[in-house]
Amino acid sequence: MPYYRSLGSVPPKRHTQHRDPEGRLYFEELMGEEGFSSDSSLLYHRGVPSSIVDSQVWELPDQSRTPNHPLKPRHLRLHALFPEPGAPSGDGPTGDSGACPVEGRRLVLGNNDVRISYVVTGADPSPYYRNAIGDECVYVESGSGVVESVFGVVSYRAQDYVVIPRATTHRWVPAQDDTGPSRLYAIEANSHIAPPKRYLSRFGQLLEHAPYCERDLHGPGETFEVSTDSTEDPRDVEVLVKHRVGSQVVGTRMTYDTHPFDVVGWDGCLYPYTFNLEDYMPITGKIHQPPPVHQVFEGHNFVICNFLPRKVDYHPLSIPVPYYHSNVDSDEVMFYVGGDYEARKGSGIGLGSISVHPGGFAHGPQPSAIEASLGAERFEETAVMIDTFAPLDLGEAGVACEDPAYAWSWSGRHTGDVATGEDGGPAVYSNS
Ligand SMILES: [Fe+2]
């Protein structure tokens, strides 16, 4: 995070005695990145933050990956993965009561840099959880609630990115109101997630040409104290820890003697925060602007961009939809979350869809979309894009919700999956 915050009770000088009203010392914890060489925060606990009493294996949901081979563009329908509220529950971690915001995540796509999962929650809070592999950026497709953490409470709502630093103990608490279940698109990195370096001054401030600024980043508004008296704090608290063994993603269930949210204050530049799509100011141009102008965050070997409702190109002969492009170094994952996506008209893609356009394959608009876009002054689309610089595999959920007809939608020659002989049913596109 580029700027400093302080919340609750901290001593005037770091690494000095800080005591409660009865004279007992608080326990100082430094949470820092890159081996004391990058952003950090200092937290003051009532209990010892390392006091575990048990450690057991936590069996993660299916993390298997299937290579994109033979190579094809893919269309994945995320909304097919979870039944609508009130629908009969099927097999797996879903049902009309919704899934756990953490344990119910289903792996859609992944590689060794980033994993993309999706879950539709119920009203129950998640267990206490931390991801020791990397930062998480969770896009809230719909719903609202709060994320409680050692740093305090952040509220979330539809169209928020919730950015949670690596190893932050937290839990998701969906609201029990009329915003409905929380549909969460979880981007789990093996690295840190931050604003693009080119948006930042050499001291870390967001620059004038950046499409957002510090005012748009919302950190914790209050510390989360489980009680006012340490003798009343809950004991034996379970925390699920996602971590790595070699290159494998695994889980451990740790039990803590004292509650991890016993923080009376903290300060520093490392903490969870939210950023809402409404606060992103799209950059537009006289002719088509390339995806980097839509970038919001970056991690190691991937970027996150968002395409938002905006005015489009104003050259008299401009073509507002993209040209065909071969991202020779990237797999491109577009998640369609709102409005009307001009370039994909006739492809079968709709709200809740993901398109995967892999490196080594030129892609672009469905042909009929080009003429149809001429003269357009605005696009009303909303989409969240992840470009990875290493090939993505399909997770079990990606395999489960694929539309096999999509690969052939530019040619209009097939309605099913030729490779498997599977019948895709009637064509849902009309671009031939
Ligand atoms: Fe693209």
Side-chain angles (χ1 to χ4, degrees), residues 1-3 5 136-140 143-149 151-165 170 172 184 193 195 206 212-221 270-280 296-297 306:
M1 275 301 301
Y3 68 102
R5 290 175 74 99
E136 293 192 355
C137 175
V138 179
Y139 176 74
V140 180
S144 65
V146 298
V147 175
E148 301 170 349
S149 78
F151 294 99
V153 179
V154 293
S155 300
Y156 71 84
R157 61 190 169 104
Q159 298 198 319
D160 268 349
Y161 295 102
V162 183
V163 180
I164 303 173
H170 66 282
W172 288 80
L184 305 178
I193 295 173
L206 285 158
Y212 60 95
C213 76
E214 285 81 0
R215 294 181 197 180
D216 305 318
L217 308 178
H218 304 286
L270 183 72
Y271 47 85
Y273 61 93
T274 64
F275 172 70
N276 194 276
L277 284 191
E278 282 184 2
D279 292 323
Y280 190 96
V296 58
F297 297 119
N306 33 230

Side-chain angles (χ1 to χ4, degrees), residues 91-353:
D91 295 334
T94 65
D96 60 357
S97 60
C100 170
V102 170
E103 293 186 279
R105 292 178 188 179
R106 297 184 63 182
L107 185 65
V108 177
L109 293 159
N111 62 21
N112 291 336
D113 302 312
V114 63
R115 296 173 307 284
I116 302 166
S117 300
Y118 186 69
V119 63
V120 181
T121 77
D124 293 337
S126 76
Y128 299 107
Y129 162 69
R130 65 172 174 266
N131 186 332
I133 299 174
D135 293 356
E136 293 192 355
C137 175
V138 179
Y139 176 74
V140 180
E141 184 189 7
S142 64
S144 65
V146 298
V147 175
E148 301 170 349
S149 78
V150 288
F151 294 99
V153 179
V154 293
S155 300
Y156 71 84
R157 61 190 169 104
Q159 298 198 319
D160 268 349
Y161 295 102
V162 183
V163 180
I164 303 173
R166 181 178 187 168
T168 298
T169 303
H170 66 282
R171 71 170 183 169
W172 288 80
V173 186
Q176 300 191 38
D177 60 18
D178 59 5
T179 58
S182 294
R183 294 178 171 273
L184 305 178
Y185 182 70
I187 304 163
E188 300 181 11
N190 282 18
S191 59
H192 297 303
I193 295 173
K197 287 187 186 68
R198 68 179 185 281
Y199 291 169
L200 301 173
S201 77
R202 63 195 173 103
F203 299 113
Q205 184 176 7
L206 285 158
L207 293 166
E208 276 295 306
H209 72 270
Y212 60 95
C213 76
E214 285 81 0
R215 294 181 197 180
D216 305 318
L217 308 178
H218 304 286
E222 55 186 294
T223 52
F224 187 83
E225 294 188 45
V226 289
S227 73
T228 56
D229 180 347
S230 60
T231 61
E232 295 176 1
D233 284 350
R235 304 285 296 273
D236 294 347
V237 180
E238 278 192 354
V239 177
L240 303 182
V241 183
K242 190 176 287 180
H243 61 107
R244 272 180 298 188
V245 172
S247 60
Q248 200 183 351
V249 179
V250 297
T252 291
R253 187 183 302 270
M254 287 185 175
T255 306
Y256 279 81
D257 181 33
T258 54
H259 201 291
F261 292 176
D262 62 351
V263 173
V264 298
W266 63 269
D267 75 338
C269 296
L270 183 72
Y271 47 85
Y273 61 93
T274 64
F275 172 70
N276 194 276
L277 284 191
E278 282 184 2
D279 292 323
Y280 190 96
M281 301 292 113
I283 295 166
T284 57
K286 192 167 183 178
I287 55 172
H288 187 78
Q289 296 297 295
V293 304
H294 304 287
Q295 190 178 351
V296 58
F297 297 119
E298 65 186 11
H300 176 66
N301 269 352
F302 73 94
V303 299
I304 303 173
C305 304
N306 33 230
F307 296 83
L308 299 172
R310 63 191 184 279
K311 288 188 173 181
V312 289
D313 323 345
Y314 49 90
H315 187 287
L317 295 178
S318 67
I319 298 177
V321 293
Y323 33 80
Y324 293 90
H325 47 290
S326 185
N327 303 2
V328 298
D329 293 321
S330 314
D331 278 15
E332 177 191 294
V333 181
M334 193 80 86
F335 179 30
Y336 304 86
V337 297
D340 209 13
Y341 205 76
E342 293 290 336
R344 296 268 75 85
K345 281 198 168 140
S347 68
I349 279 174
L351 291 180
S353 289

